[in-house]
Amino acid sequence: MWKITDSFDKDQITNFGNKYLLANGYMGYRGTMEEYGKEELVANTILGLYDQVGTSWREPVNAPNGLFIKMSFENEELSLRTKKPLKHQQELNIYEGLHRRETSFSVEGGQVTLSIERFLSMASVHLMAARGELISSVPITLTLQVGIDGNVWDINGPHLIGTQLCELDETSLLFEAQTNEEKKKLSVGQTITVDGKSRYIKTEKQGFHEYLITLEPNVPFSFDTFSATYNENDGENPTEQVVSLLNATKKEGYLSLKKAHRNIWANLWKKSDIEILGDEEAQIALRYSIYHLLSIAPRHSDRQSIPARGLSGQTYKGAVFWDTEMFMVPFFQRTDPQIARNLLMYRVHTLDGARKKAKSYGFDGAFYAWESQEYGQDATSDYNVTDVFTNRPMRTYFRDKQIHITGDIAYAMWNYYEYTNDVSFLLDGAAEVIFESAKFYVSYSYFKESKNRYELLDVIGPDEYHERVANNAYTNKLAQVTISIALKVWSFLEAHYPNELSVLLQKTKLEEQKNLLERFQQLIYVPAPDESTGLIEQFDGYYQLEDTSVATVKSRLLNPQEYWGGAYGIASDTQILKQADVLLLLNLFSSSYDKEVIKRNWAYYEPRTEHGSSLSPCIYAMAACKFDNQEWAYPYFMKTATVDLTGETKQFAGTIYIGGTHPAANGGAWMAAILGFAGLKVTDGQLEVDPKLPSHWEKMKFQTIYQNEYYTIEITQGGQKIWKN
Amino acid sequence: MWKITDSFDKDQITNFGNKYLLANGYMGYRGTMEEYGKEELVANTILGLYDQVGTSWREPVNAPNGLFIKMSFENEELSLRTKKPLKHQQELNIYEGLHRRETSFSVEGGQVTLSIERFLSMASVHLMAARGELISSVPITLTLQVGIDGNVWDINGPHLIGTQLCELDETSLLFEAQTNEEKKKLSVGQTITVDGKSRYIKTEKQGFHEYLITLEPNVPFSFDTFSATYNENDGENPTEQVVSLLNATKKEGYLSLKKAHRNIWANLWKKSDIEILGDEEAQIALRYSIYHLLSIAPRHSDRQSIPARGLSGQTYKGAVFWDTEMFMVPFFQRTDPQIARNLLMYRVHTLDGARKKAKSYGFDGAFYAWESQEYGQDATSDYNVTDVFTNRPMRTYFRDKQIHITGDIAYAMWNYYEYTNDVSFLLDGAAEVIFESAKFYVSYSYFKESKNRYELLDVIGPDEYHERVANNAYTNKLAQVTISIALKVWSFLEAHYPNELSVLLQKTKLEEQKNLLERFQQLIYVPAPDESTGLIEQFDGYYQLEDTSVATVKSRLLNPQEYWGGAYGIASDTQILKQADVLLLLNLFSSSYDKEVIKRNWAYYEPRTEHGSSLSPCIYAMAACKFDNQEWAYPYFMKTATVDLTGETKQFAGTIYIGGTHPAANGGAWMAAILGFAGLKVTDGQLEVDPKLPSHWEKMKFQTIYQNEYYTIEITQGGQKIWKN
């Protein structure tokens, strides 16, 4: 499938930057034109390389644009920045990870067309490659500039200092710089394969080779350009690595590199594709969602995870949220478990950060960062929102009160282990994370003697509009589950790895604490469905809040940009929630609750949900499937699956751009399809499906992996087939 | 002493309404002119009669003005409302509870002077009386109107409905109405003693007799008017009571009534006066403070207490705050214990309200109202402040989190009992209140297992700018003290009143709970002075807040009216406090702390205190005396003692008038003088003083009562004398 746009719309530049994103897990290159600069948010965002300038938000570093290409004619730029094109096409091949643009400009009574194909190599993740072609209807001599442009998007930069630009040889350039905070080296090299003589031109942040290209009518002229990017996280001498990769690249050539890249993409799709018959729109949206997940998965390292906005830029501080464990890992776990393992190992490697955070708040164990950066430090500001009325920073509690993050991680780890039977993962650190997570909840909790129960006070649940609540059902359940998991791990290690257990218990100081964990597991208060209504109260006192509608609350806005939550937000004193909360609990642990309970809670909470987060609709979609109502589920599935296709999400908070891609929603779309409509599950060690196809879907077909074996699953309205490959 | 103003200043009308207030415990008549109306905030505020209209704030009812007097000449009002006077004097005799005005107007080439003396009878608290005199320098015929005016101040009214106005006889009028909410009857009668024929005139809310008075030059003409006020709280038929009182009044006559009134006042001063030599300013301020306390004390009933703004109007909802127990009871307990008993018995009578409030929040025992009205119900709104930027109500937590109120009451009750040895008070309900208070704290608390202690979470301490904090030192200490008191009461009753104890334990379901109380007393966390700095942290995490100055914080105001506290107030994330908090604790329990500790905390917290409450400076004054620094104390004493004399307090919150008198500050001034400078205390059952007179004070002399015996105390710079009367 090629995603095609047939015209040029200036207002869509930012949106298309996300929509046509290329990525390969190491870096993400926005869907901008090769001649664009920082105003158009050109960015090659590097996974795991962060920087802070002064007290501004710490965020990922965007490398300079190593695929800079610009043409002009007699000092007039032939560029979408400055000139209206005769024709313009932009295309994304989601099956092969290829981006293509073709733009024609009128010139000298004729027209010149520039076509460029580019990709971020999946075979060699430090490499970007592009092949350009020029063709003119009239004889003409054009100027072509190809090189490296440091004028890229930077929200809280400049992050690169000490920039050095030089010519390596007649066709190759080198850009070297350091990050501002940690002085980490970053090198970008570029080389071009072209016939002709060039001139080297250098400005402060830009270096390129300039060619005079004389075109005969309708005779195409083509050239290839390659760019290599390394930073100090990849080795001590990024420049050496850049030079070495460029040399190898030149020898290999564009077509060969592209072939290796396409092979990997083909293999990825083989493992991950979902075929839907009877719903072209859903088919496109779902595949587009899967494309994004495949693009941004870090295959090269288990020390990085996927940020909330993927590799589409610097928004959300490039930080890793619970999005990864709760909304993306389920996809990878069932299609490419090594990726899931990489993502979860990132949490093992950042356990010390979580321990430090817990300690800083006076708790034991692991309190994971709400917005995690490379060392597990929490990038969340205590003032994450600006008051639109006073322009003052507002004290927010995402960092210190959203304690469910630790349980999300422990849950995802155990789930991965159970699903894959990957014992090495437990021994490589997951068991330790789980033990530290259990300790955290015990130390956070208080005991209420009159009720003979542990409680978790002063938290924020998934519904962030209600701050500092007590006994959020989801959070308390996750805490209980975390302790249960810890006890299961304890028993498992005791039986099979007693030495490892003993070391671990000593390290985590849990030797004498089994009773305490068992007591907590038994006595932690988990709000249960009310006997008569079947409803679970989201947190203590939720029902006492004003019971109103999303529309009514919205009508109270005085400023369209104002924050709905916090102490005085329009939603705060009402039952209106930002996103699935009780339903998240019911969906995750659906086997512990009656279908009728799930349905009643769905019917109660959905009309009260603003879906102010892209994480919300997929939960309602999945949950509706749990009580066999795929018709209720379908619109929420579609809303999730089309998030990045339409780009119709909140793009600005005040004056700050917060857009980008939504990998959690992409994962949510996959979950709604596979865990919802197909009903994929494991019962007594057997993979099975419990399908609830939307009535207009004729067929669903997909692959999945369970305990190291690949299965193909085909579901029709009348039946189902599962076979091992 | 006569408080005299010699000129007329329109801008001072509201301030003088407070400053020249007359009251007798049953009602309070603002210091307005007899011809004034609602625009000038005329009010006769009735203690304990409340009303609510719609969803507006519930507040006390102002009775119609039964002392309405207006004169005119040829249809021109001779009134301060409309005409500039030639001369005007307003006087308050604080020793006799007499108000006097004398106003001269130019008229027909001469001048007419109206003088009126009035009082609210201490001998007969339903009675107001006035004697008027007219004198003219030229022959003239004036119109004099005397009667009842229903056009009085009403913040959230109209509270009176079904108004009936009629003539009882040629000189007497009757006003009858009902409150809006509870249909309680209110009757006001008025009668005049005057020579001459009258005409009865009635408008919608006003009824009066009109006389034509012909004056010979310099020959005074005088008249007396009396007004009686009863409401259904005083008996089933207020009108009968009014008529009966008016008849008796007429027989007795003005001078006889005044004599009875003056006798009572003389006796009150005998018990309460403080003589200061060497500081006239302090002498005046202190006596003026005592005047207010004496005026508003409810002698007629033990079912009412003193509202935070006394009887000066409807502000603060006429509600009773902790002000009474913590800032006024100490004065009455040591000068007129029966009044202290009445005030505390109000809490006994409203125990059910406190039990209901506790239950509504899911707690046991007694959670007293933060703003208590007649049945002990809490008048505090969940939205007590309006956001000046959005005009939206702001969720405030005074009602649900300011739990120290219960401990304040229990502490005051025990303190009263210990001081007076009034066992009947314990048996009449105080013991039950104390038991229920102890239960409340136990049920509110959580146990922190890892620290082996009980904690009180999510509270507001006296410093209201910091909401929802954990382990406020003052609150936790009060909780501990409350439990200790309960255990002492338990032991006392066990020894002396075992039957009464048994009934009480059964009623309060405490039979088997002694161990629990002892455990709580022992394990409740009370933040202690740091070993190296001597400082007590106000609440968990206080030191982590921005450490800045009051001036810096103030400079951040965007709007002079904006609220400093709440979630995002300018003080909220800083160490700036509204009022004494840790110092309140140290002052109250000064014998448990080293002088050096008190001093260090004073030096730390005072510069961080905004003194945004009139309850604050007196605490710093007393506390400074505890470490022998009367020079630090003195300015805070003076600030407290002059609050109502200068009227320089916050008068408006947004557009709402919140002014009035400040009885807690009046009590605070007395405390600073007697418990601070004189150092009055009891050691081993012996009354003694530990004087720290300011260096320019030559002598202090006062009376006090302890365990039913009156003492006179005289302190000079060199010595002290105490003798029983």
Side-chain angles (χ1 to χ4, degrees), chain B residues 214-374:
Chain B
T214 301
L215 298 173
E216 299 302 314
N218 301 319
V219 179
F221 169 86
S222 73
F223 60 94
D224 299 332
T225 175
F226 306 101
S227 174
T229 304
Y230 281 91
N231 72 78
E232 217 174 317
N233 290 343
D234 308 317
E236 270 177 30
N237 197 331
T239 296
E240 263 180 23
Q241 292 176 291
V242 161
V243 170
S244 151
L245 179 58
L246 284 186
N247 288 338
T249 297
K250 264 181 143 166
K251 276 181 208 142
E252 196 166 347
Y254 185 82
L255 288 178
S256 169
L257 292 166
K258 180 173 163 186
K259 191 176 166 197
H261 170 74
R262 289 169 69 186
N263 284 344
I264 294 181
W265 266 104
N267 192 37
L268 292 177
W269 277 108
K270 203 178 147 202
K271 293 191 275 189
S272 318
D273 191 28
I274 303 175
E275 212 183 314
I276 297 171
L277 267 187
D279 191 339
E280 187 60 19
E281 212 182 328
Q283 173 70 84
I284 291 170
L286 195 51
R287 282 184 169 151
Y288 184 72
S289 299
I290 294 169
Y291 163 74
H292 275 294
L293 292 167
L294 296 176
S295 311
I296 57 178
R299 285 169 190 81
H300 64 293
S301 167
D302 67 357
R303 295 189 168 259
Q304 311 294 345
S305 184
I306 303 176
R309 288 288 173 268
L311 291 169
S312 62
Q314 293 165 317
T315 55
Y316 280 66
K317 306 166 194 159
V320 179
F321 290 62
W322 69 318
D323 301 37
T324 311
E325 283 75 17
M326 301 306 281
F327 296 84
M328 300 177 223
V329 163
F331 162 74
F332 291 113
Q333 180 177 304
R334 290 172 182 83
T335 57
D336 201 348
Q338 181 58 40
I339 305 288
R341 195 185 201 276
N342 283 356
L343 297 173
L344 295 171
M345 283 304 291
Y346 165 75
R347 298 297 191 173
V348 170
H349 294 305
T350 54
L351 174 58
D352 270 345
R355 273 195 275 241
K356 269 184 214 152
K357 179 175 168 185
K359 200 172 172 196
S360 78
Y361 286 114
F363 305 117
D364 285 340
F367 184 4
Y368 274 93
W370 183 245
E371 303 180 4
S372 184
Q373 291 185 342
E374 73 274 44

Side-chain angles (χ1 to χ4, degrees), chain A residues 30-197:
Chain A
R30 288 174 60 78
T32 46
M33 297 301 106
E34 289 74 7
E35 66 269 30
Y36 284 177
K38 68 191 316 171
E39 294 75 16
E40 292 84 14
L41 310 189
V42 168
N44 179 19
T45 305
I46 307 299
L47 185 69
L49 182 66
Y50 296 90
D51 185 64
Q52 183 169 32
V53 176
T55 56
S56 298
W57 281 357
R58 204 163 178 278
E59 63 190 10
V61 173
N62 288 334
N65 177 13
L67 290 186
F68 172 73
I69 300 166
K70 192 162 80 180
M71 68 174 177
S72 35
F73 172 64
E74 289 179 352
N75 289 326
E76 188 201 19
E77 253 183 52
L78 298 179
S79 150
L80 284 177
R81 295 182 72 167
T82 51
K83 194 173 163 79
K84 209 171 171 313
L86 287 174
K87 224 172 69 181
H88 175 67
Q89 279 200 345
Q90 184 171 5
E91 306 169 348
L92 179 70
N93 180 339
I94 63 170
Y95 301 115
E96 304 189 338
L98 293 171
H99 179 276
R100 207 170 171 281
R101 62 85 64 95
E102 186 174 316
T103 314
S104 304
F105 297 100
S106 79
V107 60
E108 290 274 293
Q111 70 174 55
V112 172
T113 299
L114 170 68
S115 313
I116 302 173
E117 178 184 81
R118 71 186 183 215
F119 63 91
L120 268 63
S121 173
M122 274 288 181
S124 173
V125 294
H126 300 273
L127 182 70
M128 300 194 288
R131 166 159 285 188
E133 190 184 83
L134 289 168
I135 191 161
S136 174
S137 62
V138 290
I140 194 168
T141 295
L142 297 171
T143 306
L144 181 70
Q145 299 172 339
V146 182
I148 302 175
D149 186 3
N151 294 301
V152 295
W153 186 24
D154 225 359
I155 299 181
N156 294 300
H159 294 296
L160 296 175
I161 57 171
T163 298
Q164 301 273 3
L165 253 166
C166 68
E167 211 181 9
L168 288 171
D169 59 41
E170 275 190 356
T171 57
S172 306
L173 300 173
L174 178 67
F175 174 106
E176 291 174 299
Q178 291 187 331
T179 59
N180 171 71
E181 179 191 5
E182 296 186 295
K183 317 291 177 224
K184 282 200 173 167
K185 293 179 226 160
L186 171 82
S187 300
V188 174
Q190 179 268 340
T191 191
I192 186 168
T193 310
V194 68
D195 285 336
K197 268 195 87 118

Side-chain angles (χ1 to χ4, degrees), chain A residues 50 83 379 387 426 428:
Chain A
Y50 296 90
K83 194 173 163 79
D387 185 326
L426 284 186
D428 283 354

Side-chain angles (χ1 to χ4, degrees), chain B residues 2 19 61 78 87 100 117 160 199 217 235 305 329 366 382 456 503 543 579 585 606 614 676 678 708:
Chain B
W2 288 85
K19 208 161 167 172
V61 172
L78 298 179
K87 225 173 69 183
R100 206 169 171 283
E117 179 184 80
L160 295 175
R199 202 157 66 107
S305 184
V329 163
D382 281 343
L456 296 173
V503 170
Y543 295 138
Q579 65 195 90
L585 157 66
E606 199 293 321
S614 63
N708 291 314

Side-chain angles (χ1 to χ4, degrees), chain A residues 360 362-364 383 387 389-397 442-451 453-455 457-458 467-471 516 519 540 544 556-559 562-563 565-570 573, chain B residues 360 362-364 383 387 389-397 442-451 453-455 457-458 467-471 516 519 540 544 556-559 562-563 565-570 573:
Chain A
S360 78
F363 305 117
D364 285 341
Y383 299 84
D387 185 326
F389 301 106
T390 61
N391 246 320
R392 287 179 183 145
M394 287 164 83
R395 177 70 166 90
T396 45
Y397 294 90
V442 172
S443 82
Y444 194 91
S445 75
Y446 279 89
F447 193 69
K448 189 75 182 172
E449 293 190 340
S450 56
K451 294 174 178 165
R453 69 190 194 191
Y454 291 94
E455 299 188 14
L457 307 171
D458 204 358
E467 286 180 350
R468 307 193 64 188
V469 302
N471 296 314
L516 177 63
R519 184 177 140 83
D540 289 356
Q544 263 101 72
R556 295 174 185 165
L557 282 172
L558 299 176
N559 179 321
E562 68 176 285
Y563 184 52
Y568 313 119
I570 51 168
D573 288 355
Chain B
S360 78
F363 305 117
D364 285 340
Y383 300 84
D387 185 326
F389 302 106
T390 62
N391 246 319
R392 287 181 183 142
M394 288 165 83
R395 178 71 166 90
T396 45
Y397 294 90
V442 171
S443 82
Y444 194 92
S445 76
Y446 279 89
F447 193 69
K448 189 74 182 174
E449 293 189 340
S450 56
K451 294 174 177 163
R453 68 190 194 190
Y454 290 93
E455 300 189 12
L457 308 170
D458 204 359
E467 286 180 350
R468 307 192 65 186
V469 303
N471 296 314
L516 177 62
R519 185 176 141 83
D540 288 356
Q544 263 100 70
R556 294 172 184 166
L557 282 172
L558 299 176
N559 179 322
E562 67 175 285
Y563 183 52
Y568 312 120
I570 50 168
D573 288 356

